[in-house]
Structure formats: structure tokens, C-alpha cells
Amino acid sequence: MSADTAQGGKGLLLTNTLTRTKEAFVPMDASNVRMYVCGPTVYDYAHIGNARPVVVFDVLARLLRQLYGKEHVTYVRNITDVDDKINERAANEGISIRELTEKTAGQYHEDMAALGAQAPDIEPRATDHIEEMKAMIETLVDKGHAYVADEHVLFNVPSMPEYGKLSNRTLDEMIAGARVEVASYKKDPTDFVLWKPSKAEEPGWESPCGIKTPGRPGWHIECSAMSEKHLGKVFDIHGGGVDLTFPHHENEIAQSRCAHGTHAMANVWMHNGFLQVEGEKMSKSLGNFFTVHQLLDTEEGDGRKWSGQAIRYALLQTQYRQPIDFTFKSLAEGEKQLTRWIELMKKHGVTAQENGALDEGVLEGLKDDLNTPRAFAALHKLARDARGGDADAAQKLANSIKFLGFDLESFSKAQEEEKAEADASPELKAKVEELIAKRLDARKAKDFAESDRIRDELAADGIVLKDMKNKETGEIETTWSCA
């Protein structure tokens, strides 16, 4: 038995941004493996770049649960619901901040679930942890790492000699990279805000450190406070996109280590690479900026809707640390591959088993720093063996596909419904659409008896209706399929 296995290691290798090496992962406590991932700022739909870390760390959470046991892993992903972008969006829409954040968080949950991402074990909200933030800020002031100036509280970066170690940046690079705000009250240009005063129309709380004006927290302090509350002062893994390495994660480390006097905030720091679309940086001006909602629910993505399973497939074809080129060709290939696997499962008469045996090749690929291309190569080998008549390979293929977060049964059902609708005669389509419009009018008029009568009429003809609320308008929309 190797030393790392004796200490709780399971042969898992992870690249640690802090040390710039691929290391054997050994948890602090194998009975309580803890991971924190930075979540969304809920002011708008999540774009496809936001989805990559969700899918990546969903796979890691699944792997950790497989290796250590579901009850021994705690996965925390936060929601930022206090932010200047939120304030601006709520004011523009003429709704309350709470209404905006609740609506947007709901949209985020729906979109990420469509990509096969399981919910984290704990999903703390920033506004529920203001007191913890204020307590940490006062501790930093008491220890000489922060100071009050002009109704702000700022972290004094020179007070931490190891600042910049995570991002490996020089002082000049840090000043440029942080887009440092010039302020006369700063002791050092690199100092960053822990707390700031709020205007009358902005959300505000009683301020720490004797400041009389109500205020709100800076962005970085929330993750330090929430991770401590739910995972402890030091935990195993902290993840997020590479864009968060500096300044966000660098500042988190400074806050947490200086407040607690610890050697680390997290022992392993993991970052997924950037995403571009069709070979170019994603940008609204280039017309290649897509939200997950647009891809799932509209035809703005290459003139059609896309399956969440296909999006997940495309996001996992590249190893997480590498940049990824997200293309519509990769989405189409994902759908084709999932369909081929479904046909193979049907040929062997197998479905994924609950807690069924997984393929060792898939597991070994994932244990090698989440090498998903290697894991998919193992899936393709299983498929070849299954086509050759190997029933055991077919069963392991089904189990391993499910383990990676794919739901072939729901994907197959959705494909069949789309095909049935596409094959329907023009006359049938016209009749169904006319009756759906009449039914929606009846619902708006609160004539529910007529609404039910139309539904029953269509059901008798083998037409199944599905009502969903439009995420943007709040209006009920109806889709249909042949039973």
C-alpha cells in the first residue's frame, strides 16, 4: 500500500494551480472530503462559458463520491446575490433586487439541470452570510491586515508577503490585471475593498468597524466567509474558471489566511480553461455569444434547439484545463454519438443500473486529472466490444455513461418526440396549433372547463401537451408531441 493510499488517497491525481504540478490528491479527512466552487452572480442568464465549470466540477464531485462514498463528500457552490450588476439590472427592469435574483437563480438551476449537473450539497447565498462577512472583516482590521478609510474597509495587500503566489504575478502585473481603482484613501494601489458604503437606492446593511453609513460587502469577502462557515478554515479543493485566479481567488486566499492565521485556505486549487465559440472569443459584437437558455429553448443557436445532453457531451470532449472551442459541429456530433449508444443499449436490452459496475478504463481516465478525453476513449472501446456481442461491455457502457452525467433514457424520449412532431402531417400540425391557441385563450379567460376539454380532445387523438412558463415573460407556453 502506497503512503498516499494509507492516508486516504485513492489514486486520484489533480493539477494544483498553487504548486503548478499534478499531485496525488489526499484529503485532509477521507470521511469528510470538502470542495468549494465559485457559483453564479444571478443577474442574467448563464452563458455557455459559465456552464463549463459547472459541468467540470460536477464530474469531479461524482468521482469523489464514487471514490470516497456519497455521504463522505461535501460539495458547496455559492450564489452571489449582492452585486452592482444586480442593482443596475433590477433598476432597469423596474423590479426589486430580490425578485430579480430569485428569478435568475431559478433560471440558472433549470439550465444547469438540463446539462445533467447535480445540485451541490450546499448552495449558500451571499445575502444570508452578511454577519459572517462583517465578523471576518473586523478580525482582519484587528490583526492589522485591513483598515477603515472614507467609510470603506480595505485589505492592505502588502501586509501579506505571499500575495500573488497563486497567480504567479508581479506587482505591476497585479495592478494591471486587477484594473485597480485609483482612490486617494488607499494606502497601497493594490489594496482591495472588503466593505463599501451604499447609496440610498442600493442594498445596505449595518456596517462593521464602527462605520455609521450602511454599506455592503465587496465581492471577494463572501467566498471566504461562506467557505469557512460550511467547510471550515482550511478545506480540500477550491475550483472555478481560470479567469477567477486573479484577482478573485488570490484575494480569497489573502482574506482567509490572514483572518485565520492558517497555512492555506484550500490545499488544492483547480481552474478550467477558457471557452471560445467557433474559433473566436465569445462576444456579442461577433454574434457568437450564447446563453445556455438560448441553446436549449430557442433557435438562435445555428437555427435550432439543442439538447442539454449534447451540450454536456461537447463540454467534456476537451480536458478541463485546456482551452475549448465550442462549435455547433461538436453539438451535432454529440447528438449522433448519444444516439448510437442508445441504439447499442437497445440491441443488448440493457439500461443503466443503480450503483452498477463501472468500467475501470473510464475511472482511470478521470482519476488522471479529470482526463475526460481518455474516459471517452474507454467508452468508445466498450462500444466496440458491445457491437462485437459482449453483453458485459454493453452493461458497463450504460453504467459508465450514466456515471458521467448522461441520461440516455430522457434523451431518447426527447428525440422520439421531436421525430414524431416532425413526421406529423401539415394538416395535423395546423389543427393542433389552432387548438393550442384556443386553449391558451380559454386559460387566460379562466375558462378552465374549455381548456380541459381541448386537452382531452387532443389526447384522444394521441397528442400530448406540455405547459411551461416562459422564463422571460412569465407567460404559459405549450408544446406538443405525439403519444
Side-chain angles (χ1 to χ4, degrees), residues 204-253:
W205 290 264
E206 183 178 340
S207 294
C209 308
I211 299 171
K212 291 185 169 48
T213 304
R216 61 195 190 281
W219 174 33
H220 312 297
I221 192 69
E222 66 178 67
C223 289
S224 288
M226 289 188 283
S227 63
E228 180 203 357
K229 179 174 182 178
H230 297 288
L231 297 177
K233 295 177 179 179
V234 184
F235 50 94
D236 295 300
I237 299 170
H238 195 315
V242 67
D243 56 308
L244 297 181
T245 307
F246 183 86
H248 186 49
H249 288 169
E250 195 77 70
N251 290 353
E252 282 187 47
I253 292 173

Side-chain angles (χ1 to χ4, degrees), residues 34-49:
R34 292 162 289 165
M35 178 170 72
Y36 186 97
V37 175
C38 287
T41 300
V42 285
Y43 71 97
D44 202 352
Y45 287 112
H47 59 66
I48 192 63

Side-chain angles (χ1 to χ4, degrees), residues 470-482:
N470 184 297
K471 298 174 186 177
E472 293 180 335
T473 66
E475 296 289 326
I476 295 296
E477 295 179 349
T478 302
T479 58
W480 62 278
S481 60
C482 296

